[in-house]
Amino acid sequence: MSRGPIVLGIESSCDETGAGIVRDGQLLAHAVASSMDEHARFGGVVPEIAARAHLHSFNPVVRRALDQAGLRLSQIDALAVTTGPGLSGALQVGLAGAKSLAYAVGVPLYGVHHLAGHVAADTLEHGPLPGPSVVLIVSGGHTSLLLVRDLVREPILHLGDTLDDAAGECFDKVARVLGLPYPGGPAVDRAARDGDPRAVAFPRPLTRPGDDPYAFSFSGLKTAAARWAEQHRLRGEEPPVADGAAALQEAVADVLTRKAVAACRAHGVGTLVVVGGVAANSRVRALAEQRCAAAGVELRVPPLTLCTDNGAMIAAVGDLLVRSGAEPAPLGVSVDPSAPLEYAALQPGAAAGGTGAVPTEPPRTVNGGGTTAR
């Protein structure tokens, strides 16, 4: 039996430089370098620092992925790269590097939407997505409920999105108020282990009758947590951090999972997929499992290593695009730092009908799907 093309994926939308290699839906390798420690002293990601870190990490990360897979660059059949959304400078570094590699090897290049990559990450662990599936994307910059049928062939339907802060952003900001380190999500999760989730009655935003059933809002929750901490300090005492973290985490997990399971019921969908960095949160995972079991819904969550940003998820989308026969990116493909999620392929800034990376000779078809240079 013939085997499909080998796809190298590049991710550089924020503070992780990732390279992953996928073939026929199977993960062959992935490597990640994070500049998180460089940003921690500033309490958040500094775009210029992130872009410079990508410059330093790009080649070593690609080399590590190739070595892990036991491959040479010349054996890669296609490149996929995040073209948005994300930090402009960081995206530009990844795209420039991917274009250079595609040109050097003579293979096509595919632009990929970052959030579609998070969705595809689950397929590397659990196989193709059942259609349709409800997908909850929850991260530092995004919180969305989606209805996904065919990830690379059909438009992605948004059931609801955050109206203000994303869940991960709420964790980061409240963690800072509580004196916890950056990034806030893992710090809150650790602190919550020793706390009582019922100690503080934090609000559950947009869960009252008449509210949008699938929209999210975490700005008010963030403010409530900040005021709770402030009230303790006005009394001359430090807030009980473990209890505050546990109560905050419970409120976020409650809202996320309540709305996600409700969406599955309302749309007659039997599979919920939870992806993104906040999908690594222990309480989100546990409560999602509990509520899905009660509702008779299959829950799919990627392993922790594939929840945060990585190149494997971008390679997974590239692999699906190649095998579906999608057109590669035009030569002038650029980045879109604020691109909405409409399709898995994201190839902005160039006229349609381009041929992707410049091949050294005419490309050939591989197993009836996509193209690659000899």
Side-chain angles (χ1 to χ4, degrees):
M1 180 182 294
S2 60
R3 305 188 68 184
I6 300 173
V7 181
L8 170 63
I10 302 296
E11 157 62 22
S12 69
S13 65
C14 191
D15 56 348
E16 278 98 13
T17 310
I21 301 173
V22 171
R23 183 179 203 172
D24 289 331
Q26 301 298 310
L27 178 60
L28 304 183
H30 87 104
V32 177
S34 176
S35 57
M36 184 73 68
D37 291 345
E38 298 178 56
H39 303 286
R41 58 196 175 107
F42 299 102
V45 176
V46 180
E48 181 62 26
I49 291 176
R52 291 179 182 178
H54 289 308
L55 281 170
H56 289 294
S57 299
F58 186 92
N59 284 338
V61 165
V62 170
R63 175 49 55 197
R64 276 167 45 206
L66 289 168
D67 289 346
Q68 189 181 126
L71 295 170
R72 301 183 303 277
L73 184 59
S74 60
Q75 293 174 281
I76 297 299
D77 298 306
L79 266 290
V81 61
T82 303
T83 48
L87 303 174
S88 179
L91 290 167
Q92 292 283 5
V93 172
L95 177 59
K99 282 184 175 181
S100 298
L101 293 179
Y103 180 85
V105 184
V107 299
L109 178 69
Y110 294 82
V112 170
H113 196 289
H114 175 79
L115 297 183
H118 278 301
V119 179
D122 180 74
T123 68
L124 298 175
E125 179 72 11
H126 299 117
L129 288 177
S133 297
V134 169
V135 178
L136 173 64
I137 296 181
V138 54
S139 68
H142 305 275
T143 303
S144 298
L145 265 178
L146 312 172
L147 186 64
V148 177
R149 295 183 174 88
D150 186 310
L151 181 60
V152 299
R153 290 185 175 92
E154 296 187 41
I156 296 167
L157 175 63
H158 286 245
L159 301 177
D161 298 283
T162 185
L163 304 178
D164 40 58
D165 290 355
E169 185 178 1
C170 177
F171 280 145
D172 283 341
K173 291 179 177 178
V174 176
R176 189 167 187 172
V177 169
L178 296 177
L180 295 172
Y182 178 84
V188 167
D189 201 352
R190 289 191 298 270
R193 295 170 190 166
D194 299 320
D196 179 0
R198 295 163 296 184
V200 190
F202 286 138
R204 270 53 171 172
L206 296 182
T207 56
R208 295 174 299 182
D211 288 337
D212 187 325
Y214 308 130
F216 299 95
S217 170
F218 293 104
S219 179
L221 175 58
K222 170 197 68 182
T223 301
R227 286 178 176 169
W228 170 80
E230 181 184 27
Q231 287 168 2
H232 279 81
R233 290 178 176 129
L234 287 174
R235 296 195 297 264
E237 58 189 40
E238 280 301 306
V241 172
D243 285 346
L248 175 74
Q249 182 171 264
E250 188 68 21
V252 171
D254 182 20
V255 172
L256 291 173
T257 58
R258 187 189 307 191
K259 288 176 176 275
V261 172
C264 291
R265 286 175 169 151
H267 290 84
V269 173
T271 302
L272 172 64
V273 185
V274 183
V275 299
V278 179
N281 178 272
S282 62
R283 185 54 183 157
V284 170
R285 295 169 83 96
L287 194 53
E289 183 175 349
Q290 175 185 327
R291 287 180 165 169
C292 282
V297 172
E298 178 194 8
L299 174 65
R300 293 175 37 151
V301 186
L304 295 179
T305 55
L306 295 180
C307 285
T308 52
D309 293 351
N310 61 86
M313 69 188 198
I314 304 305
V317 178
D319 174 62
L320 292 171
L321 288 170
V322 171
R323 289 191 284 140
S324 73
E327 286 293 318
L331 285 175
V333 64
S334 59
V335 301
D336 185 347
S338 57
L341 177 58
E342 297 172 340
Y343 293 90
L346 178 62
Q347 303 181 159
T355 57
V358 179
T360 55
E361 58 184 23
R364 57 181 171 84
T365 300
V366 178
N367 294 339
T371 59
T372 185
R374 292 184 179 85

